[in-house]
Amino acid sequence: EQDKFVLNILKGKHNGFFLEIGSNHPINTNNTYILETVFNWKGIMIEYDDTWLNDYKNLRKNSKHLIIDCTYIDYKELLKDLPKNIDYLQIDVEVNNGSTIKILEKLDTEIMHSHKFATVTFKHNYYNSGEYKYTREKSRNIFEKRGYVNVFYDINDNDPNKVYEDWWVHPDLVDMEYIKELKQCNVINYKKNHLVNETINWKD
């Protein structure tokens, strides 16, 4: 339900734009389907698996879909004709083969100096990231360097042992008074965890 987070932060915005890296199925477990079909957003969906190519063409006609390995994309070229401020960035690819941190490092090098994302959901999969466990810490260093503010950290998938995501905003593009309020009222929803200091269930 990352889409609910995005809509909540952006106050039900219509006609937004997203960059969805690791889009999976165009409807099921997809974080931009509701944004596109109900709130009239459009964007770029990037997915390595070509299984759903026909579904993308039929079900997600307002957006551009790329079936490609996202670690080889020239993001500066991809976004050259787009606005510098983008409403939502999702990075949800394989962490345990290094793809996730490689993508973020590419974005950092190629576009994060020129483009800002109002909201970001980033999967670090700390609970099963293998030799790439450093993805969590390194990603936070990159986002913080670029001025992003963490709203929810170490989100778990309805199981405190499955700590898998961080959710961010850029303070230039969102209502920071609301962000402060949101963070404050959710302090009580964090629970102690043996993997990390504390974690929050996305359902909370």
Side-chain angles (χ1 to χ4, degrees), residues 152-177:
F152 298 114
Y153 55 89
D154 291 332
I155 298 167
N156 71 69
D157 188 15
N158 206 29
D159 178 345
N161 295 313
K162 292 185 177 180
V163 176
Y164 76 107
E165 274 199 354
D166 290 338
W167 294 355
W168 302 82
V169 296
H170 198 290
D172 292 350
L173 304 178
V174 301
D175 178 354
M176 285 307 293
E177 286 302 314

Side-chain angles (χ1 to χ4, degrees), residues 138-154:
K138 196 165 189 178
S139 66
R140 291 175 178 179
N141 290 338
I142 291 172
F143 283 120
E144 289 169 2
K145 176 187 72 175
R146 293 298 182 182
Y148 288 82
V149 173
N150 182 265
V151 183
F152 298 114
Y153 55 89
D154 291 332

Side-chain angles (χ1 to χ4, degrees), residues 14 21-22 47 88 91-92 112 120 126 130 140 145 149 154 175 188 191-192 198:
H14 286 71
I21 303 175
E47 173 57 44
Y88 176 40
I91 301 179
D92 185 352
M112 289 180 83
V120 180
Y126 189 74
R140 291 175 178 179
K145 176 187 72 175
V149 173
D154 291 332
D175 178 354
I188 61 171
K191 311 299 180 189
K192 293 298 180 182
E198 55 187 8

Side-chain angles (χ1 to χ4, degrees), residues 101-124:
I101 195 60
K102 185 175 181 179
I103 289 298
L104 185 57
E105 289 173 330
K106 276 181 68 67
L107 295 180
D108 182 38
T109 301
E110 296 173 9
I111 63 164
M112 289 180 83
H113 62 285
S114 57
H115 290 73
K116 296 175 184 175
F117 301 94
T119 58
V120 180
T121 59
F122 181 84
K123 184 172 81 171
H124 56 63

